[in-house]
């Protein structure tokens, strides 16, 4: 069993129960972690609260150095972490290398920004006065993480939260806690006890205990919209500050001028990365009517050439899904679409050869429309549902016809269409010709029911700081606007 990390010590927790962690490529148990209780959550909060008293006064420069040191240590353990991530999450090893590079880069980026945390001076209302704005940390931040990018989505919260002077409690997904626990051991071990804690357990027990704890003023959550709603309702009781990074149903519009073959490969990448288990997966593809036949032919040919397999094999393009329930959801969306008239051109089933793990064939569908679940709800799997449009107005209308607003992709070199797309589509990130590429300095987050949090960039640091206005009068004589009137 891999224990939890609370106050710089390793503990099995108080409940005595454990959670099994599986390799999704083989459906075998690879380890177990404690199924943490509310009592364990309270211990972690007490440790983080006590550590905050000192940590908040550690200078920004020292905090920056510690973040840089974490990045250096992770670089030394790069291969080990990549392998562990691949074992517990399943995606292709090159994607886990990229994830780990991103974790290092994010630590370095916020090490840089940590040195630059600042407020500002504003004009006073009277010449005897001095007014300024300072930024201060919240205190204990609970970071609740989903399964699909266990380290990336963790560090997008933890690096800026620490840079800002908060202490953190990380609760990884109960599918993928192992790489995070290993990081506590080898990458975060130089932080003072209690500054970084990692707890494990089920969302409805450990997660809710953290959300409801009175000494946790800020919850940074990435996960499904349904759980985001649950957390919001619990947090409302104490008007807690929330960072919500929730579900998506991103559109990908192919414009009439796009090259068909390149567009097909771009869509395949955007839809199938991590077996479609990406919050910004392109889950709705819109193609001009006149291009439809050529495009579907090209994408079906391309997708059939992709190799499914265990993530640890270098030849694998697409790994398994992370849990059986996720695969069942994909199958149910496809079944509902087929029942309503959709056509499956390739895929649509679990592969016969890889029957041990939780694989699902990449699936291309046509004849889809917005009455189908597969075009409305998050599928979070390797599906490419393609719908045709007649005019660009219609394409924009279809792209916006969703409750979500995370990302949106387009392929075109027509500047007028580009301008319309980035101005009219309601989404937190617009990708033109290069889908799903992030940038350390570019704020990432959503609109509408994806939640309004932003990670990365200066906005990603700002979210972990509270704003305080200081009004200072150097003239301490009586004021003529005091009583009596
Ligand atoms: P999930 O919502 O099931 O779980 C996320 C985390 O919340 C896990 O750690 C889980 O244990 C915890 N949790 C579950 N119930 C809880 C509760 N009642 N109280 C507190 N915590 C609870 O999500 P998932 O299946 O792990 O991840 C997939 C989802 O995450 C998708 O909807 C995807 O779009 C979303 N996601 C969003 C972004 C983004 O940036 N917007 C990024 C990645 C993933």
């Amino acid at each position: 069993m891999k224990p939890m990390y609370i106050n710089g010590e390793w503990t099995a927790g108080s409940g005595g129960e454990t959670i099994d962690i599986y390799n999704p490529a083989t459906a075998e148990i690879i380890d177990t972690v404690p199924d943490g209780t509310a009592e364990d959550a309270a211990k972690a909060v007490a440790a983080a609260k006590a550590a905050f008293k000192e940590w908040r006064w550690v200078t920004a420069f020292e905090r920056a150095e510690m973040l840089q040191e974490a990045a250096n240590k992770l670089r030394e353990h790069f291969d080990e972490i990549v392998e562990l991530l691949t074992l517990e999450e399943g995606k292709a090893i090159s994607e886990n290398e990229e994830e780990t590079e991103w974790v290092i880069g994010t630590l370095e980026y916020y090490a840089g920004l940590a040195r630059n945390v600042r407020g500002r001076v504003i004009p006073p209302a009277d010449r005897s006065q001095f007014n300024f704005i300072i930024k201060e940390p919240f205190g204990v931040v609970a970071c609740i993480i989903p399964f699909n990018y266990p380290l990336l989505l963790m560090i997008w919260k933890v690096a800026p939260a620490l840079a800002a002077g908060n202490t953190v409690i990380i609760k990884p997904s109960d599918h993928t806690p192992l790489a995070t626990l290993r990081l506590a051991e080898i990458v975060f071990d130089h932080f003072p006890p209690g500054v970084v804690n990692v707890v494990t357990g089920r969302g409805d027990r450990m997660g809710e205990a953290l959300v409801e704890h009175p000494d946790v003023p800020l919850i940074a959550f990435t996960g499904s919209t349904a759980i985001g709603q649950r957390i919001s309702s619990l947090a409302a009781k104490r008007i807690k500050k929330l960072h919500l990074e929730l579900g998506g149903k991103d559109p990908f519009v192919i414009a009439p001028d796009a090259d068909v073959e390149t567009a097909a490969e771009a869509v395949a990448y955007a839809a199938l990365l991590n077996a479609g288990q990406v919050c910004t997966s392109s889950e709705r593809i819109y193609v001009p009517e006149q291009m439809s036949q050529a495009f579907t032919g090209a994408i079906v040919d391309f997708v059939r050439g992709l190799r499914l397999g265990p993530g640890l094999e270098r030849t694998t393009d697409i790994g398994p899904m992370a849990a059986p329930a996720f695969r069942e959801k994909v199958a149910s969306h496809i079944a509902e679409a087929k029942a309503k008239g959709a056509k499956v051109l390739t895929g649509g089933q679990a592969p016969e050869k890889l029957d041990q793990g939780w694989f699902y064939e990449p699936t291309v569908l046509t004849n889809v429309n917005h009455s189908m679940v597969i075009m409305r709800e998050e599928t979070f799997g390797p599906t490419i549902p393609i719908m045709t449009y007649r005019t660009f107005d219609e394409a924009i209308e279809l792209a916006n016809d969703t409750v979500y607003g995370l990302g949106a992709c387009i392929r075109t070199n027509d500047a007028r269409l580009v301008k319309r797309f980035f101005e009219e589509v309601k989404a937190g990130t617009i990708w033109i010709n290069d889908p799903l590429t992030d940038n350390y300095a570019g704020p990432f987050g959503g609109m509408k029911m994806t939640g309004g949090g932003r990670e990365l960039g200066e906005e990603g640091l700002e979210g972990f700081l509270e704003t305080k206005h200081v009004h200072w009068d150097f003239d301490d004589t009586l004021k003529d606007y005091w009583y009596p009137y």
Side-chain angles (χ1 to χ4, degrees), residues 38-105:
E39 198 183 312
D40 303 323
K43 277 190 190 145
V45 176
K49 188 181 174 188
F52 178 67
K53 283 188 192 148
E54 291 297 323
W55 177 248
R56 69 167 299 183
W57 303 120
V58 170
T59 68
F61 307 106
E62 284 174 82
R63 290 202 294 260
E65 274 169 28
M66 293 173 92
L67 289 171
Q68 183 60 53
E69 194 179 335
N72 299 345
K73 286 178 171 175
L74 180 51
R75 172 75 65 207
E76 282 164 26
H77 292 89
F78 189 85
D79 291 343
E80 178 200 340
I81 293 298
V82 167
E83 188 178 331
L84 194 50
L85 267 180
T86 313
L87 274 176
E88 66 177 340
E89 203 274 340
K91 63 183 174 290
I93 192 160
S94 59
E95 293 178 19
N96 285 311
E97 285 169 346
E98 204 192 337
E99 174 166 1
T100 308
E101 283 291 353
W102 258 91
V103 177
I104 295 170

Side-chain angles (χ1 to χ4, degrees), residues 41 55 63 105 116 122 126-127 160 183 207 210 226 229 292 294 335 346 354 392 413 427 437 439-440 451:
W55 177 248
R63 290 202 294 260
N116 207 20
I122 58 168
D126 187 280
R127 65 181 298 179
L183 249 53
L210 292 173
Q229 286 169 323
S292 158
T346 186
L354 294 158
F392 199 69
N413 285 314
T437 294
N439 182 322
Y440 297 111

Side-chain angles (χ1 to χ4, degrees), residues 142-145 171 203-204 206-212 216 218-246:
C143 303
I144 304 180
I145 316 297
K171 196 210 88 61
D204 59 358
M206 174 56 84
E208 293 199 5
L210 292 173
V211 171
E212 294 202 281
V216 178
L218 169 59
I219 296 125
F221 170 77
T222 300
S224 59
T225 294
I227 302 296
Q229 286 169 323
R230 169 80 185 146
I231 288 176
S232 302
S233 68
L234 295 174
K237 288 180 205 151
R238 290 180 188 271
I239 317 288
K240 292 192 178 194
K241 176 98 192 312
L242 289 174
H243 271 239
L244 298 178
E245 304 279 351
L246 310 178

Side-chain angles (χ1 to χ4, degrees), residues 125-329:
D126 187 280
R127 65 181 298 179
S128 69
Q129 297 167 352
F130 185 52
N131 289 63
F132 55 98
I133 286 142
I134 55 172
K135 297 283 180 177
E136 43 181 56
F138 282 83
V140 180
V141 180
C143 303
I144 304 180
I145 316 297
F147 75 88
N148 60 334
Y149 287 88
L151 296 188
L152 183 77
L153 297 167
M154 178 275 291
I155 212 68
W156 284 7
K157 297 166 183 51
V158 169
L162 294 175
N166 302 281
T167 55
V168 298
I169 302 169
I170 305 164
K171 196 210 88 61
S173 161
D174 30 342
H175 298 290
T176 53
L178 299 178
T180 310
L181 287 165
R182 186 72 179 127
L183 249 53
E185 209 171 353
I186 56 179
V187 167
F188 295 129
D189 55 322
H190 59 287
F191 285 87
V195 171
V196 180
N197 306 275
V198 182
V199 296
T200 54
R202 300 193 318 263
D204 59 358
R205 188 158 73 165
M206 174 56 84
E208 293 199 5
L210 292 173
V211 171
E212 294 202 281
H213 199 292
D215 290 331
V216 178
L218 169 59
I219 296 125
F221 170 77
T222 300
S224 59
T225 294
I227 302 296
Q229 286 169 323
R230 169 80 185 146
I231 288 176
S232 302
S233 68
L234 295 174
K237 288 180 205 151
R238 290 180 188 271
I239 317 288
K240 292 192 178 194
K241 176 98 192 312
L242 289 174
H243 271 239
L244 298 178
E245 304 279 351
L246 310 178
K249 189 77 193 167
D250 286 8
F252 196 139
V253 173
I254 311 300
D257 69 294
D259 173 70
V260 170
E261 303 287 332
T262 325
E265 292 195 28
V267 166
Y269 173 75
L272 302 177
L273 185 71
N274 194 6
Q277 300 168 116
V278 184
C279 52
T280 49
S281 269
S282 294
E283 294 209 357
R284 300 178 286 136
I285 317 304
Y286 302 102
V287 184
E289 215 170 48
Q290 69 277 16
M291 191 195 280
S292 158
Q293 218 179 345
F295 179 82
T296 47
I299 201 162
V300 166
D301 281 352
F302 184 74
V303 163
R304 284 195 179 135
L306 296 175
R307 291 156 300 189
L308 249 69
L312 282 176
E313 283 177 17
R314 284 272 162 199
T315 50
T316 291
D317 295 309
I318 302 174
M321 306 207 60
F326 304 153
R327 187 168 67 164
E328 281 157 29
K329 183 177 175 189

